[in-house]
Amino acid sequence: MAVILTSEPINPWRELESMEGRILSLHGRCGARAVFVGSMRDSNEGQRVFAMELEHYPEMTRRYLHKLAESANQRWQLLESLIIHRYGRIQVDDCIVLVAVWSGQRGEAFAACRFLIEELKHRAPFWKKEQTESGPRWVERNTPAEP
Amino acid sequence: MQVRVRFFASLREQVGVADREAELPAPATVRQAWAAATGDAPLPAHVLCAVNYEYVSPQEEVAEGDEVAFFPPVTGG
């Protein structure tokens, strides 16, 4: 289980590749990997967005993400999980969050991955302040999970 | 007793302060910590509360030295 909070740019594909290389216990046992990558779009709620400031509560956010990863690990049969979340100044197309799980089977992998990102969006202490075409604006709610 | 009170995001901008100490009688609740730290401002409807990095309700009791935090609905991910 790895949980990383960083103000540096995230290359999710490199992180996944690095994980694959590092975790020897996956070999032969991992039949399923589920991955979510969230990145910044250039519009939200009808406004063009140029950049974003992503605030967090360091001690609480870190603690929450660790507990979240543990709860997924207890609920599903996972070989490994990874959560990486960015904070600070974010540009359009930057990766904001990477959630990945490694499991024996796809049912576990899909369910755990979905749980991690939905819970994170619902409860992890982060707040986004967008720089829009008409000035700065705090995001008040997340986009819904179901289309 | 003294508690540390922190405000985040748009709530910090509304209240006008990020971090302050509040003096409270014992026992006291999270709601009372809000009142002490904001000069009796009304507690907004959708505010989330935490004590020592765990989510709590406004009715939760606080102890000497606790860190109480107030913030708007979260928007990470």
Side-chain angles (χ1 to χ4, degrees):
Chain A
M1 279 184 346
V3 170
I4 298 166
L5 271 169
T6 179
S7 59
E8 296 296 314
I10 300 167
N11 181 331
W13 318 112
R14 197 169 295 156
E15 296 292 341
L16 292 169
E17 190 169 13
S18 169
M19 197 73 158
E20 291 287 338
R22 272 205 314 273
I23 309 297
L24 302 178
S25 56
L26 296 174
H27 291 187
R29 297 171 61 207
C30 181
R33 295 150 175 82
V35 175
F36 177 82
V37 176
S39 60
M40 189 186 153
R41 290 175 292 135
D42 65 5
S43 74
N44 187 34
E45 304 227 345
Q47 294 263 305
R48 294 294 306 277
V49 186
F50 306 117
M52 168 195 308
E53 197 64 39
L54 208 156
E55 183 173 337
H56 73 308
Y57 181 1
E59 302 92 327
M60 185 172 176
T61 306
R62 186 163 294 119
R63 171 182 272 203
Y64 176 83
L65 292 177
H66 277 282
K67 282 192 171 181
L68 182 63
E70 270 168 33
S71 70
N73 206 49
Q74 277 166 20
R75 199 163 151 182
W76 290 282
Q77 301 272 20
L78 302 180
L79 295 166
E80 192 55 77
S81 68
L82 175 63
I83 300 173
I84 308 181
H85 203 297
R86 185 131 172 234
Y87 63 88
R89 182 94 179 159
I90 300 188
Q91 307 295 332
V92 169
D93 283 333
D94 280 358
C95 174
I96 296 170
V97 62
L98 166 64
V99 170
V101 299
W102 288 256
S103 181
Q105 284 156 342
R106 73 185 187 284
E108 306 280 285
F110 275 130
C113 187
R114 182 139 203 174
F115 168 82
L116 285 172
I117 186 61
E118 294 301 333
E119 286 297 306
L120 182 160
K121 288 187 81 73
H122 189 57
R123 296 292 270 177
F126 292 102
W127 304 274
K128 292 172 178 166
K129 189 173 190 179
E130 295 171 326
Q131 300 300 323
T132 76
E133 53 192 332
S134 47
R137 171 182 76 181
W138 287 100
V139 176
E140 287 178 10
R141 68 187 70 79
N142 282 320
T143 51
E146 302 296 329
Chain B
M1 62 174 172
Q2 280 231 308
V3 298
R4 180 182 182 189
V5 182
R6 300 178 70 174
F7 303 93
F8 290 88
S10 56
L11 199 59
R12 178 190 57 249
E13 291 179 354
Q14 247 177 277
V15 171
V17 70
D19 200 331
R20 65 165 27 134
E21 293 291 313
E23 186 64 41
L24 294 169
T29 62
V30 166
R31 184 181 289 276
Q32 287 170 301
W34 166 274
T38 62
D40 276 320
L43 182 67
H46 300 291
V47 167
L48 298 173
C49 315
V51 172
N52 300 336
Y53 321 126
E54 299 286 342
Y55 279 108
V56 298
S57 76
Q59 290 77 249
E60 188 82 8
E61 271 196 23
V62 295
E64 168 76 42
D66 276 353
E67 177 164 314
V68 186
F70 298 99
F71 43 83
V74 301
T75 55

